[in-house]
Structure formats: C-alpha cells, structure tokens
C-alpha cells in the first residue's frame, strides 16, 4: 500500500555560515496526509532513525549492524488534522551522544517510523506500522526537507505450497490471562507423502525460532531449492514440522509461563500441541514428539525438554542462550554489582567476531533498546533484553517487568536476580536431577561453537561439567563443542530431521 501517509518533515538549519560552527539545530514539522486519516491511530511512538550510510534502510539499523542512531518519543492524542512541531526541546530518548539542538555536521540519511501497533506487536518494524523513504540531508546546507511517509509494513504471508499449512487459533488460556482475545499462529510443513497416505499418522517436530522469529520463517525453506528438492524426494524423513511463532507482548515469548507475558508454556502444552496434532494426523504420543532450535530456539528447546520431560522425546539445542545466569554472557548476575562494567571498570562486550574482536557492549545494546521501549527503557523494547527480562523477572508495581539492572547505569538489582533463579537451567537441573535424570535418558543433544559470538559457550561449559559429574543416574547427554565455530554456525534443519528419523528407528527397534 502506498501513499497512505504523508508526513512533512522540515529540517531547519541555523543561518550561521558554513564552517563557523561544528553543529546545527534540527526541527521537525510533521503532519498526517489526508489519505491516512481514516486509519491513523492517534497514540504511538515516533522513531527517527539517522544513519551515515544508505547501505541499509535507517529503520533497519540495529546494534548488530552498527548503523546509525535513533531517537524516540511517545505521542498521545495526536489529532489527525494537527501538525506536530518537534525539536530538541522535546523529551527524546536516544542512543546518540548528541541531541537535535546540537547535531554534528555531516551527511545523514533520515527515516521516520510511526509505531502505532501498541501491544499487538512488540517490534517497531512490524505489520501495520508506517515509515518513510530514506532521505539524505547535509547539515552544512540550509534545508527544508519534505519526507513522504507513504509506506506501510505489509502483513505476513505464507508462500502457497501444497505441503505448507497455516495453523491459527484463539487461545483460551492466554485470552483469559490477558482479558482480551489472544490469537496464536504456527506454520506446518508436511512430509512429502502426507496427501498420498490419508490414514497414516506421523511423528512431529516442533521448531523454535531464533530471537523473534515468526511462523513465516518456513518461507525461507520453501525458497531453498536444495532443501525442497531433498524434502520432496523419497530420501526425506516422513516427519511433520511445526514452526512456532516467537511473538510475545515484550518480545519473544520463549514459549514458557511468565509473570509478565502470561502462560505461554501452558498454552503450548495444553492447547496448541493437542489441537495441531489432531488436525494434522500426528501420532500424538510423547515418544514421537521432538523439539529443536538455535539461539533463543536452542534455549527454549532445552528448557521445554527439562520442564516438560515427558512431553518430548528429544531436543536438539544449538547455541542456546545462557543456561546459567552466573554467566549471563560475561555477567554474573548473582555476584556482580554492574552489568555494564566489570570489576576493572571495562565495558563488557555483548558480541564478538570469530577472532574475538568485540563488536558492541551490553551498554550500547541496552541504550539502543531503551529508545524502542514505550517506557523509555529496554524493558518494553521488544528486543533481546526486553524478552529475557519479561520472562525471568517479577512484575513491578507499574505492571511492567521489573528491570534486572538499571537502564542507564547498569546497576544490578539483586532481588530481581534472585527471582531469575527460577529460570536458571543449570540450577533447575541440579535441584531436580534425582527425579529429572531418568526422564532425560537419550533426549539431550546440544551443540555449541566455542567462539560463540555472544559468549554463550561459557554457561554451556558449566552445564556440560555438571552433567558429566552426575550419578544416580549418570547423564548420557550429548554436548558437542566445536572449536572456532560461531553462533548457530552448524545448525541445519536437514541434519536435525535426520537425527529425529534415527531416534524414531531406535524406538521401532525396541
């Protein structure tokens, strides 16, 4: 859809001659185009992305690609006939070390996003939100720039294919908890022989996405000619794959019960799984049900196997998020005083490359998330730390997740950290091993790169050490560490499906 919204952006530079100052003031006049007035929502968050390159759209800037800065502010009761005048005097949250009253001279690419989805979508770049074309400005030249924000982020769609189906239902469990209708979606990839064998029942695999992954990620496999050539051949295993949706009110739901996001685990186990397996002719037994994923999906698949050991007959967990919070990346949440700085007052990196070169710090990551959050903090950003915090933390007096650390100075809240122990997979496994261990026989398969970009191998090493030390029973978990391998580098849908097929063969041979 085009030309739905026209926002007029005036960038007013100072009249001082070029070269006489090092910065300028910017002011913005923003109006709503008449064609949008029927559908425009009056409350939302305005985000202004400013980048120094146009290699990617500024609105797609993130801490991960190191591109640009962003400013954000909430606007309520915006009259659709009103022109907004915004400048450096407004209450902006930003990750920049400058503001609109003092913009360093240079060439920039500016793009605006009007995030009007509220609680229905946690991400800024989600369907229904509006954005502009990227526009280049030069702050050394007096400019009046008009930006037409005439684009809308389209709805998600599954590629039409005989082997792909949409599963959608309204969850009674989540709807009751949220006191509003909560709809859940998943995509289904059927085995090649499904239509030809209408009376056959199949084993089933639940795939959990990396952070924020949606049910439409099956489209990537459909566009992969090599995978689809294999999947539709006689060589491919006859297994149903369910691609779970990662959306939650504060970011990824992590498919588990949470004081903040609601009973997503209960929904998955008691609603989604029974309904989807009945509709698509799964065998429907715990022996023939499996779970896997990478990154967020690696943590969730392992957590589901641990918390619901009789529901699944095996997990394949790759590059799992921190399985112990005494090594939450490089932070010991139980002992350290600050998440941003170590005890030598060095900024802790959050990401590194293969050679160990830091890419950005936790502080930079949090400051970027603070801008996206409607609370002006990472706790409502829909980003990675927002989702972790929503899952692991208690609810605060403001009905929002209590922050594990201060969004500005990084000081760790020890009371909140104590609450996080409930989701610490290492602590949970240790505390419940006598009862849990026998239920996990043959079910734990873990892969981790020893140069994981997010330092996730540190916590997994502790998990591995504990499982190797177990007795009564002795753990048979398979945990492989690959030297000089990065995050999710060896993850493969084809490999996991092949391993599940082997597991099924073992069951048949019993």
């Amino acid at each position: 859809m085009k030309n739905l919204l026209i926002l007029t952006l005036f960038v007013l530079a100072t009249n001082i001659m070029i070269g006489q100052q090092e910065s300028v003031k910017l002011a913005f006049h923003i109006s709503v185009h008449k064609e949008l007035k029927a559908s425009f929502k009056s409350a939302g968050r305005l985000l202004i992305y400013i980048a120094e390159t146009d290699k990617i759209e500024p609105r797609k800037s993130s801490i991960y690609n190191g591109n640009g800065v962003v400013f954000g502010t909430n606007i309520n009761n915006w009259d659709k006939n009103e022109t907004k005048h915004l400048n450096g005097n407004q209450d902006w949250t930003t990750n920049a070390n400058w503001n609109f009253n003092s913009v360093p001279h240079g060439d920039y690419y500016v793009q605006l996003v009007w995030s009007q989805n509220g609680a229905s979508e946690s991400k800024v770049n989600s369907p229904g939100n509006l954005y502009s074309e990227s526009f280049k400005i030069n702050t050394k030249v007096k400019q009046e720039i008009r930006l037409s924000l005439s684009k809308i982020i389209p709805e998600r769609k599954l590629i039409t294919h005989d082997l792909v189906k949409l599963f959608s239902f309204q969850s009674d469990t989540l709807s009751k908890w949220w006191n509003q209708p909560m709809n859940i979606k998943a995509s289904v990839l059927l085995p090649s022989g499904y239509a030809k064998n209408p009376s056959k029942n199949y084993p089933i695999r639940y795939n959990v996405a990396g952070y924020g992954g949606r049910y439409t990620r099956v489209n990537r496999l459909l566009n992969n000619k090599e995978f689809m050539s294999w999947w539709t051949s006689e060589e491919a295993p006859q297994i149903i794959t369910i691609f779970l949706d990662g959306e939650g009110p504060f970011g990824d739901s992590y498919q588990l019960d949470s004081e903040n996001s609601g009973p997503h685990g209960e929904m998955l186990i008691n609603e989604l799984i029974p309904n989807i397996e009945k509709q698509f002719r799964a065998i429907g037994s715990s022996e023939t049900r499996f779970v896997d994923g990478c990154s967020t999906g690696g943590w969730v698949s392992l957590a589901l196997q641990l918390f619901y050991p009789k529901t699944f007959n095996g997990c394949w967990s790759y590059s799992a998020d921190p399985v112990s919070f005494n090594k939450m990346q490089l932070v010991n949440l139980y002992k350290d005083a600050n998440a941003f700085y170590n005890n030598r007052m060095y900024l802790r990196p959050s990401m590194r490359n293969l050679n160990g070169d830091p890419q950005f710090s936790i502080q930079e990551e949090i400051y970027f998330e603070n801008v996206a959050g409607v609370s002006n903090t990472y706790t409502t950003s829909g980003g990675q730390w927002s989702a972790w915090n929503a899952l692991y933390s208690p609810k605060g007096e403001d009905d929002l997740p209590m922050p594990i650390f201060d969004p500005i100075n990084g000081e760790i809240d020890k009371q909140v950290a104590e609450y996080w122990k409930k989701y610490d997979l290492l602590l949970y496994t240790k505390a419940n091993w006598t009862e849990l261990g026998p239920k996990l026989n043959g079910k734990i398969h873990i892969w981790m790169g020893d140069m994981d970009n997010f330092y996730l191998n540190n916590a997994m090493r502790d998990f591995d050490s504990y499982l190797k030390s177990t007795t009564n029973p002795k753990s048979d978990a398979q945990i492989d560490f690959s030297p000089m391998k990065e995050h999710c580098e060896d993850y493969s849908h084809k490999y996991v499906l092949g391993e599940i097929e082997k597991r099924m063969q073992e069951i048949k041979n019993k």
Side-chain angles (χ1 to χ4, degrees):
M1 298 173 63
K2 294 183 177 180
N3 299 319
L4 292 181
L5 170 64
I6 304 294
L7 293 187
T8 306
L9 170 64
F10 298 96
V11 182
L12 304 176
T14 59
N15 293 322
I16 299 176
M17 294 178 61
I18 295 174
Q20 289 187 335
Q21 65 173 24
E22 296 181 353
S23 64
V24 295
K25 293 183 179 180
L26 297 183
F28 307 87
H29 298 274
I30 306 172
S31 61
V32 181
H33 189 268
K34 61 182 180 181
E35 293 183 18
L36 182 69
K37 290 180 179 180
S39 57
F40 179 76
K41 297 180 182 179
S42 63
R45 189 165 180 84
L46 181 69
L47 294 118
I48 301 180
Y49 292 88
I50 302 177
E52 296 181 0
T53 175
D54 61 350
K55 290 182 179 180
I56 62 171
E57 289 185 82
R59 72 183 179 93
K60 295 182 179 178
S61 297
S62 75
I63 195 67
Y64 299 101
N65 57 43
N67 183 36
V69 299
V70 60
F71 290 77
T73 190
N74 295 329
I75 299 177
N76 296 309
N77 302 316
W78 184 349
D79 186 335
K80 57 189 176 184
N81 298 309
E82 175 189 2
T83 297
K84 285 288 181 183
H85 175 78
L86 300 174
N87 54 36
N89 297 324
Q90 268 73 41
D91 185 18
W92 294 100
T93 300
T94 182
N95 65 331
N97 56 10
W98 45 267
N99 58 47
F100 289 136
N101 286 330
S102 182
V103 181
H105 276 315
D107 293 328
Y108 300 102
Y109 296 86
V110 179
Q111 192 170 31
L112 277 71
V113 174
W114 175 240
S115 180
Q116 59 176 9
N117 281 331
S120 63
E121 289 272 358
S122 63
K123 296 293 185 65
V124 171
N125 288 299
S126 60
N129 286 342
L130 303 147
Y131 66 99
S132 73
E133 296 279 6
S134 175
F135 192 88
K136 185 177 182 180
I137 63 172
N138 183 332
T139 59
K140 289 187 177 182
V141 178
K142 185 178 180 180
Q143 295 173 287
E144 184 178 281
I145 302 169
R146 294 175 178 265
L147 287 180
S148 174
L149 296 181
S150 57
K151 295 182 177 294
I152 187 168
I153 300 173
E155 294 298 320
R156 297 179 183 85
K157 292 183 179 180
L158 292 177
I159 293 175
T160 301
H161 194 285
D162 291 342
L163 297 179
V164 174
K165 306 297 179 183
L166 173 66
F167 177 78
S168 178
F169 77 105
Q170 182 173 302
S171 167
D172 292 338
T173 301
L174 287 173
S175 298
K176 181 180 179 180
W177 197 89
W178 281 99
N179 197 28
Q180 66 180 45
M182 297 292 287
N183 297 310
I184 302 297
K185 293 182 178 180
S187 60
V188 183
L189 178 62
L190 299 171
S192 58
Y194 187 85
K196 297 177 182 178
N197 298 278
S199 61
K200 183 176 180 179
N201 298 100
Y202 294 87
I204 193 163
R205 164 200 176 211
Y206 290 87
N207 175 261
V208 187
Y211 185 78
R214 306 306 300 268
Y215 67 97
T216 48
R217 65 188 180 280
V218 69
N219 290 344
R220 295 197 294 269
L221 289 181
L222 295 175
N223 287 323
N224 186 322
K225 292 182 179 179
E226 181 180 351
F227 177 86
M228 291 306 296
S229 177
W230 171 75
W231 186 245
T232 54
S233 72
E234 294 182 357
E235 298 177 10
Q238 298 298 291
I239 299 168
I240 298 171
T241 291
I242 308 301
F243 295 91
L244 299 176
D245 194 73
E247 174 61 15
F250 297 101
D252 202 297
S253 71
Y254 275 64
Q255 311 298 330
L256 289 178
D257 294 345
S258 162
E259 188 171 319
N260 297 291
S261 297
H264 281 265
E266 181 182 344
M267 177 278 297
L268 175 68
I269 302 301
N270 297 327
E271 289 185 296
L272 187 147
I273 287 178
N275 289 329
I276 210 167
E277 293 188 359
K278 180 179 179 180
Q279 181 173 336
F280 292 100
R281 289 192 277 123
I283 296 171
S285 72
S286 59
E287 272 197 326
T288 58
R289 186 183 300 121
F290 308 91
V291 63
D292 80 291
C294 194
S295 192
T296 289
W299 190 94
V300 174
S301 59
L302 179 58
L304 288 173
Q305 186 67 78
L306 294 174
F307 292 145
Y308 304 99
K310 292 184 177 181
T311 300
F312 301 96
N313 197 25
C315 77
W316 281 262
S317 167
Y318 284 71
S319 301
D321 287 359
V323 294
S324 173
F325 302 146
N326 65 359
K327 290 182 179 174
M328 187 70 182
Q329 296 182 289
L330 295 178
V331 186
N332 186 330
L333 290 175
Y334 306 134
K335 295 183 178 180
D336 289 334
N338 193 283
F340 294 165
Y341 294 90
N342 66 16
N343 59 8
R344 292 173 179 259
M345 293 308 294
Y346 280 98
L347 279 173
R348 286 192 175 94
S350 181
M351 184 180 180
R352 62 181 173 182
N353 65 15
L354 178 61
N355 296 318
D357 190 19
Q359 303 299 289
F360 56 83
S361 67
I362 294 176
Q363 183 188 66
E364 290 172 310
E365 187 177 17
I366 292 300
Y367 284 6
F368 197 93
E369 286 198 31
N370 286 344
V371 184
V374 295
S375 62
N376 297 311
T377 73
Y378 66 93
T379 60
T380 56
S381 70
Q384 177 64 83
W385 281 96
S386 173
W388 279 336
N389 200 77
L391 175 61
Y392 306 143
S393 291
K395 187 186 293 290
E397 293 181 359
D398 57 0
D399 285 333
L400 294 177
M402 292 182 67
I404 181 62
F405 49 73
D406 187 276
I408 304 301
N409 64 33
E411 182 179 346
I412 296 170
D413 187 324
K414 295 304 179 183
Q415 289 185 327
V416 175
E418 191 68 22
Y419 194 90
W420 277 41
K421 288 182 177 180
K422 178 181 177 182
Y423 298 91
D424 186 311
L425 298 187
L426 177 56
L427 291 182
Y428 178 83
T429 303
K430 286 181 177 180
N432 296 279
W433 183 251
T434 300
E435 180 182 354
L436 185 61
K439 301 174 184 177
L440 298 177
N441 187 47
K443 295 182 179 181
I444 303 296
H445 312 274
I446 295 172
W447 180 92
M448 178 66 74
D450 242 338
M451 281 301 293
D452 186 90
N453 303 94
F454 304 100
Y455 306 93
L456 305 178
N457 51 305
N458 296 334
M460 189 58 74
R461 282 288 182 183
D462 288 351
F463 193 73
D464 178 55
S465 295
Y466 170 71
L467 290 182
K468 286 179 177 177
S469 73
T470 55
T471 58
N472 192 30
K474 178 70 176 177
S475 173
D476 67 350
Q478 296 178 351
I479 304 183
D480 296 323
F481 292 89
S482 294
M484 299 308 293
K485 291 282 188 174
E486 296 180 278
H487 192 64
C488 292
E489 187 171 343
D490 278 3
Y491 180 73
S492 164
H493 288 277
K494 184 176 179 179
Y495 177 80
V496 170
L497 285 160
E499 290 299 294
I500 292 174
E501 185 178 35
K502 292 178 184 178
R503 179 79 166 156
M504 285 299 302
Q505 192 61 47
E506 293 172 2
I507 295 170
K508 291 179 182 178
N509 293 337
K510 282 184 179 180

